[in-house]
Amino acid sequence: EAATTLQELVPQPVQTTPRADITFALTAEAKIQLGAATARKPAEHLASILRPSTGFQLPITDGVTGDGIVLLNNADPKVGQEGYQLDVTPKQVIIRANTPAGHFNGVSTLRQLLPPKSEAKTKQPGPWTVPGASILDYPRYQHRGAMLDVSRHFFTPDQVKRYIDQIAAFKINYFHLHLSDDQGWRLEITSWPELTKIGGSTEVGGRKGNLFYTQAQYKDLVAYAANRGITVIPEFDMPGHTNAAQASYAELNCDNKKRPLYTGTDVGFSSLCISKEITYKFVEDVVREVSAITPGPYFHIGGDEALSTPDADYVKFMNRVLPIVKKYGKTTTGWHEFIKTTKDTTLVPQFWGTTTSDANVAAAAQRGNKILMSPANRIYLDMKYNKNTKLGLNWAGYVEVKDAYSWNPGAYLNGVTEASIRGVEAPLWTETIKTSSDIEQMAFPRLPVAAELGWSTAANHNWDRFAPRLGAQGPRWKIQGINYYASTQVPWK
Ligand SMILES: CC1=[NH+][C@H]2[C@@H](O1)O[C@H](CO)[C@@H](O)[C@@H]2O
C-alpha cells in the first residue's frame, strides 16, 4: 500500500502506531478546539497554515465542542516539557501536551500528516485527510537550533521571518541570530548610536544602506519566533570579530583610531581593547539593552577566533564579561573557546570544531556543562555540498546530505557522553549567501537533517530509513517555493 504521510515524518517520532482502519477528514465545519488555554498560540499558528490552503474558517473555540482538531492538556507525563500525544479518530485529531511547546510540536506533526497541499498559500481542492494513527513523541535533546549570520550579509525582517517559518516546521526551538561581526553591526543600541549608523551601513561586498534592525523590529522578530514556539538567542561576537564596532567608535580601539569599515571575508584580525575600561562599559550597555528586549534565557557572546587577542587578555576579558551577562539575568552561551575561562557549569559552549576531541570541552562536560553541538564538518549549512556547489565555503570540507546525517551527537566528542549534550544547532554563515533562495539552497535539506539529529532517538538513526522520509518532504517544499538542493543522495518524491 502506498506509504501514507505517517511514514514520511521528519523528525521521526518516538512511537507511531498506525490505525489503518481509521481516516480523519478535515471539513469546512471543523473547529480548532482548546481544551487548554495554554494551547491558543499553537492553535493560532495551525490556523494560519490551514485557513489559506483549505479555505475553511477553522474557528478557534474554547472547550471541546465536536468534530475537528482538539488540543488538550492531559498528556502522558512521559512526553515531558516538549513532547505530545497525537491521536487520530474518525471525527477528531487530538493533540495532548503539557506545555505550549508540546502543542507547537504536535501541530508540526499534524501539518506533515495532512497532504502537502495543506502548505499552500492559496485555496486548494480537498480532501484534507489524515491517516489513522496514535503517536507519542518527545525530543532526544532540549535544544534544536538554527543560526543565521545577518552580519556578513544583512537580511530584512521579512526574509528572517521566512526562515523562522521554515525552521518551525521541523520542531526547531532556538533561533540564534549572529548580530555583529567585522562586516556589520545589525541591532541598534540606543546608548551607542554609531554602531548601526556607521557599523550597520554596509556588508560583505560593499552594499550600502540602513542594514540593521531597530529595536522595535528586533522585538517583532522575537515575538514572531515565540508565536511559533521558537526562542531567539542574540549573539554579539567578542572580543574578536569586532571591526564594525571599532569602525564606529574610535575609543573602542587601543590606538583611539576608528578602523575602516570592512567588506571582505577574512577572520581573526580584530579585537576589542582589553585594557581600556570603556570596553566594559560598551559591553555592559550592549548586554543591558539587548537583554531587556530578549525574553529568552540565553545571551551568546561569540568568543571565537580571537586571534588578535593575547590568551591572557582573552581570559581577562571573559572574566569581566561573563559576570555582566549574569548581572542582566541571562545565561552565557558562546563558541566553545570561551569555556576554558570559566568553571561555571551553567554556561553553554557551542562546539564548532572539525575534530572529535577538544580537551577544554571534554573537561567542561565532565564538570557538568551541557554542550551544544555544531561541528563545522557535519552541520555548518554554509559548507558546500560538493565541489560543484556554487554557494558556500569549503574550509571544513564538503558536507553532502548523508555527511550531515552520519554522526551521533551523543558519541561524537571524546569524553563527552549523551548526558552532556544539550542539543544540535545548524549555523548558516553568509559570506556568500545573499537571498532567501540562497538560504534555502543551503538549509534544505540539511536543516531538517539537523532537526532529526536533535529530536529523534539514536535507535532510529538509520540513513536508509531516513532518506525516503526526507525525500517525501520534497513536494511540501516545492509548494512552499523553497529552493531546496535536490541532492542525488535522496530519493525525492
Ligand atoms: C564560529 C565560527 N567562526 C568562523 C567559523 O565559524 O567559520 C565561519 C564560516 O564557515 C565564519 O563565518 C565564522 O566567522
Side-chain angles (χ1 to χ4, degrees):
E1 169 204 346
T4 72
T5 50
L6 200 54
Q7 281 82 35
E8 301 174 349
L9 298 173
V10 174
Q12 177 160 20
V14 171
Q15 202 181 310
T16 305
T17 310
R19 292 266 191 280
D21 54 325
I22 293 172
T23 298
F24 169 81
L26 193 68
T27 61
E29 298 70 42
K31 298 184 183 73
I32 300 176
Q33 303 158 56
L34 304 181
T38 54
R40 179 164 291 280
K41 286 252 187 286
E44 286 168 351
H45 180 48
L46 177 63
S48 75
I49 303 284
L50 298 185
R51 284 173 181 155
S53 52
T54 62
F56 298 160
Q57 201 206 344
L58 296 176
I60 295 173
T61 64
D62 280 310
V64 181
T65 58
D67 296 2
I69 296 160
V70 180
L71 303 176
L72 300 176
N73 257 150
N74 55 348
D76 181 327
K78 200 158 76 166
V79 307
Q81 288 306 302
E82 292 191 78
Y84 61 91
Q85 289 173 272
L86 187 150
D87 291 286
V88 182
T89 73
K91 297 284 184 194
Q92 291 180 331
V93 174
I94 302 160
I95 301 175
R96 289 182 177 81
N98 299 323
T99 63
H103 281 121
F104 275 117
N105 292 321
V107 160
S108 294
T109 296
L110 175 52
R111 287 172 62 182
Q112 291 188 5
L113 289 174
L114 281 155
K117 59 189 177 184
S118 62
E119 297 293 340
K121 289 285 178 262
T122 56
K123 191 170 170 352
Q124 307 297 310
W128 303 101
T129 52
V130 174
S134 189
I135 295 174
L136 187 145
D137 198 12
Y138 50 86
R140 178 180 180 185
Y141 299 121
Q142 62 182 306
H143 184 133
R144 288 92 50 204
M147 184 208 87
L148 183 63
D149 165 11
V150 295
S151 180
R152 275 49 179 278
H153 279 97
F154 176 68
F155 292 90
T156 64
D158 281 348
Q159 288 174 311
V160 175
K161 288 178 178 179
R162 180 177 170 88
Y163 193 45
I164 290 172
D165 282 339
Q166 292 166 351
I167 64 178
F170 293 94
K171 304 188 175 77
I172 296 288
N173 62 344
Y174 285 97
F175 183 53
H176 169 180
L177 266 175
H178 184 78
L179 287 159
S180 73
D181 210 301
D182 291 319
Q183 297 87 348
W185 187 283
R186 301 296 180 215
L187 175 58
E188 73 172 338
I189 303 294
T190 55
S191 49
W192 295 74
E194 302 299 292
L195 287 173
T196 40
K197 219 173 270 139
I198 298 175
S201 69
T202 186
E203 63 180 7
V204 168
R207 178 165 75 111
K208 292 268 181 244
N210 292 329
L211 308 182
F212 60 88
Y213 310 113
T214 63
Q215 292 198 2
Q217 286 174 316
Y218 174 79
K219 284 190 277 192
D220 178 57
L221 287 173
V222 167
Y224 192 86
N227 287 338
R228 286 150 183 82
I230 295 173
T231 300
V232 166
I233 300 176
E235 176 186 352
F236 292 88
D237 204 342
M238 51 182 93
H241 286 277
T242 50
N243 187 78
Q246 293 178 280
S248 306
Y249 287 94
E251 58 268 46
L252 289 178
N253 297 274
C254 283
D255 60 8
N256 280 317
K257 290 197 185 82
K258 274 187 192 177
R259 290 296 177 271
L261 285 168
Y262 179 66
T263 61
T265 57
D266 291 345
V267 297
F269 59 86
S270 54
S271 170
L272 289 175
C273 185
I274 307 304
S275 58
K276 291 174 85 171
E277 267 314 301
I278 192 164
T279 296
Y280 304 99
K281 172 161 178 22
F282 163 71
V283 171
E284 175 145 6
D285 289 343
V286 171
V287 172
R288 184 186 69 255
E289 287 198 31
V290 176
S291 297
I293 54 178
T294 299
Y298 296 100
F299 191 104
H300 199 297
I301 49 115
D304 61 311
E305 297 181 313
L307 312 180
S308 302
T309 312
D311 280 354
D313 280 356
Y314 183 87
V315 174
K316 257 169 61 183
F317 179 82
M318 288 300 172
N319 288 345
R320 291 287 303 270
V321 166
L322 296 181
I324 292 173
V325 175
K326 201 177 278 267
K327 173 179 174 183
Y328 290 95
K330 301 301 177 189
T331 297
T332 295
T333 176
W335 303 109
H336 67 264
E337 292 96 317
F338 90 97
I339 206 65
K340 61 179 175 259
T341 70
T342 173
K343 296 281 190 282
D344 184 336
T345 57
T346 66
L347 309 190
V348 178
Q350 180 169 7
F351 177 75
W352 64 280
T354 55
T355 65
T356 51
S357 63
D358 182 289
N360 290 314
V361 172
Q366 277 136 34
R367 285 196 299 271
N369 293 84
K370 302 299 178 202
I371 316 302
L372 181 58
M373 294 299 288
S374 298
N377 54 339
R378 287 284 182 276
I379 209 70
Y380 263 30
L381 303 180
D382 57 304
M383 285 305 120
K384 291 173 181 289
Y385 292 96
N386 52 52
K387 65 182 185 316
N388 303 321
T389 309
K390 280 185 295 304
L391 297 168
L393 306 176
N394 65 0
W395 68 267
Y398 295 124
V399 181
E400 251 290 1
V401 179
K402 192 173 179 183
D403 301 322
Y405 181 80
S406 304
W407 59 293
N408 176 356
Y412 187 78
L413 282 175
N414 296 340
V416 179
T417 62
E418 175 77 4
S420 295
I421 299 299
R422 175 180 164 79
V424 175
E425 186 172 295
L428 177 54
W429 300 97
T430 60
E431 289 88 342
T432 65
I433 306 299
K434 298 177 186 166
T435 64
S436 288
S437 176
D438 291 352
I439 290 176
E440 292 157 20
Q441 180 72 186
M442 304 307 271
F444 287 84
R446 291 176 298 185
L447 186 275
V449 169
E452 174 95 4
L453 286 170
W455 180 281
S456 303
T457 61
N460 282 334
H461 190 266
N462 174 303
W463 171 259
D464 294 335
R465 286 209 297 270
F466 173 67
R469 286 193 282 118
L470 189 62
Q473 293 294 315
R476 288 175 194 279
W477 300 348
K478 275 206 184 74
I479 283 170
Q480 295 174 71
I482 292 175
N483 175 40
Y484 68 94
Y485 166 65
S487 168
T488 53
Q489 297 180 338
V490 178
W492 297 103
K493 200 170 176 180

